[in-house]
Amino acid sequence: MVICLVFLFAIVQASIDICTTPNNEPAQCKSLYECVPLLQGLLTQEPKVVEFVNESHCGNLSTEPLVCCGSSYTYIHGPEQIERICGYQHSDDYFRVDTAVAAIDEYPWLAILKYEQDPDLIADGNDFDEFTCVGALIGSRYVLTAAHCLRMRTSAAVGVRLGEYNINEAQDCVKSGVFEVCADQVQDIAIQSKITHPQYNRRYGLNDIALIKLKHAAVFNDFVRPICLPSSDKDHAKVGEIMQFSGFGEITHDGPSTEVKKKVLGALLSNEQCSKYYTNSTGLQRSVNENSICMRELPVNGVHFCGGDSGGPLMYSNKKRWHVEGIAAWGAQICDGRYPAVFTKVSQYLSWIMGVTES
């Protein structure tokens, strides 16, 4: 009995000691006063270091704060580190028979925005959905999304969920032959700040792009990884080339939302051709301009771009490395793929994105 208790205590103690730092580094949870790197960092009195130490908190022991004690006292997920790991997904590493449906580890950068009702704005009890928009993880602490997604008519975005596959399952698992593959637990992270593009115009949908800063860093794994931003040294999609889109929006207009993340294939459409679809549309105070990019869906799709997919990434793969070309902005209220979806062109906003994320 004594041996069993000692063994059980060792297991519990081991599980308590293991932690992950804000830099996604495996480390030990120990007293702050025993963690030399963090103590050295606090001597600098720099606000970023203090923030890092606060995020390293992993519990309390009597009157001593416990911290996840790694090798650094500051964030190392800078642009260079993100550039090395972004855009790769495990689903590109193995053969699959059914490629028309999203794999459990496909689009690991897809983020779902979580909302909270504003009691001062509620008109009735049927105007709220906890998950309404999506976005793309572009770093350990930043999600790129549409500006109009930050606030709905009666609710505001308060958190982000990462690593989701089936929104109705507590544990995501899929069958692969005789084996069962299960995803890591989803990561629900509160929003620290929301940054809307300074020239965003909600009425006309201009500059419909925003950044969300997470309260703490996401933990990267096979199901949570950042996507790359487009840059001058990457090949961009050309008109007619195949691109992909994902989201958790409606299956049909004003219908139920999808349970499993969508996989929508489309071809890049020229802005000139895209504009023709909306020239005679009524009720849309929108236009396709130089800051837009359009996708026309392929007929093979089982699901389509629809309401609730706003903020989602339009993706292009260059040698199995993905980058986000567009952020879903608007489209026709006909969720059957006949009309192209219009996205905010991310490459037009790189300097603004870098200015926010690197400040």
Side-chain angles (χ1 to χ4, degrees):
M1 173 64 81
V2 173
I3 294 174
C4 289
L5 287 174
V6 170
F7 180 69
L8 180 61
F9 176 80
I11 294 175
V12 172
Q13 187 63 36
S15 66
I16 292 173
D17 287 345
I18 298 171
C19 61
T20 304
T21 73
N23 286 323
N24 295 305
E25 177 189 7
Q28 269 196 323
C29 185
K30 60 170 64 174
S31 169
L32 172 62
Y33 307 115
E34 296 176 5
C35 184
V36 176
L38 293 189
L39 287 175
Q40 290 176 335
L42 287 173
L43 293 175
T44 67
Q45 298 185 357
E46 294 181 7
K48 282 281 186 183
V49 175
V50 175
E51 180 184 1
F52 185 88
V53 173
N54 286 334
E55 287 195 12
S56 300
H57 182 259
C58 56
N60 291 288
L61 181 63
S62 185
T63 58
E64 295 183 9
L66 297 180
V67 292
C68 196
C69 187
S71 59
S72 176
Y73 58 77
T74 190
Y75 300 103
I76 59 173
H77 278 150
E80 298 82 7
Q81 289 78 16
I82 295 299
E83 177 62 28
R84 285 201 300 268
I85 64 174
C86 70
Y88 294 112
Q89 56 182 11
H90 187 47
S91 60
D92 287 336
D93 299 334
Y94 57 87
F95 173 78
R96 288 190 296 129
V97 176
D98 187 6
T99 57
V101 179
I104 194 169
D105 51 4
E106 202 163 9
Y107 315 133
W109 37 78
L110 190 64
I112 315 176
L113 273 57
K114 299 183 70 177
Y115 292 81
E116 188 175 83
Q117 283 182 305
D118 187 335
D120 295 329
L121 298 175
I122 296 172
D124 54 61
N126 301 313
D127 191 32
F128 175 69
D129 188 354
E130 185 182 11
F131 302 104
T132 308
C133 278
V134 286
L137 186 70
I138 60 169
S140 61
R141 294 194 65 185
Y142 283 95
V143 170
L144 191 63
T145 188
H148 76 264
C149 285
L150 298 185
R151 187 168 191 84
M152 297 301 171
R153 191 159 66 91
T154 64
S155 59
V158 294
V160 167
R161 173 170 290 184
L162 302 170
E164 184 63 278
Y165 178 68
N166 186 325
I167 208 160
N168 290 331
E169 296 291 338
Q171 174 69 59
D172 289 332
C173 296
V174 295
K175 286 283 187 181
S176 179
V178 296
F179 301 102
E180 186 177 57
V181 179
C182 294
D184 292 350
Q185 199 66 31
V186 298
Q187 299 178 39
D188 287 323
I189 305 176
I191 292 174
Q192 177 171 310
S193 58
K194 295 176 277 193
I195 307 99
T196 303
H197 191 275
Q199 294 177 311
Y200 168 56
N201 183 303
R202 190 178 187 94
R203 182 178 181 182
Y204 296 106
L206 300 175
N207 305 300
D208 193 0
I209 191 168
L211 283 161
I212 291 173
K213 185 176 184 181
L214 305 178
K215 203 160 190 177
H216 63 78
V219 177
F220 297 151
N221 52 47
D222 283 347
F223 309 95
V224 176
R225 293 181 184 179
I227 191 170
C228 299
L229 291 169
S231 66
S232 57
D233 61 350
K234 290 191 182 78
D235 290 331
H236 295 274
K238 300 175 179 63
V239 171
E241 287 193 306
I242 304 302
M243 308 180 78
Q244 296 187 23
F245 172 80
S246 187
F248 278 90
E250 297 168 352
I251 301 171
T252 58
H253 178 55
D254 283 339
S257 295
T258 182
E259 293 182 3
V260 175
K261 71 173 77 168
K262 294 180 180 181
K263 181 172 186 175
V264 180
L265 304 182
L268 180 62
L269 194 65
S270 70
N271 282 7
E272 181 183 7
Q273 288 294 321
C274 187
S275 296
K276 293 178 180 178
Y277 282 89
Y278 295 105
T279 301
N280 299 319
S281 298
T282 58
L284 279 174
Q285 294 178 315
R286 300 284 186 271
S287 62
V288 178
N289 55 49
E290 68 277 6
N291 295 326
S292 307
I293 186 172
C294 298
M295 178 196 73
R296 175 74 188 275
E297 289 192 31
L298 300 184
V300 297
N301 290 328
V303 290
H304 305 284
F305 178 88
C306 199
D309 285 327
S310 289
L314 179 63
M315 303 162 282
Y316 178 67
S317 174
N318 179 26
K319 298 178 181 178
K320 293 188 177 182
R321 194 172 198 188
W322 295 84
H323 64 271
V324 53
E325 292 246 5
I327 290 295
W330 58 277
Q333 292 184 338
I334 306 171
C335 306
D336 59 8
R338 284 185 292 162
Y339 282 74
V342 184
F343 299 78
T344 301
K345 191 174 183 179
V346 174
S347 61
Q348 298 286 79
Y349 298 90
L350 288 178
S351 59
W352 173 74
I353 293 171
M354 296 301 183
V356 172
T357 57
E358 295 178 9
S359 62

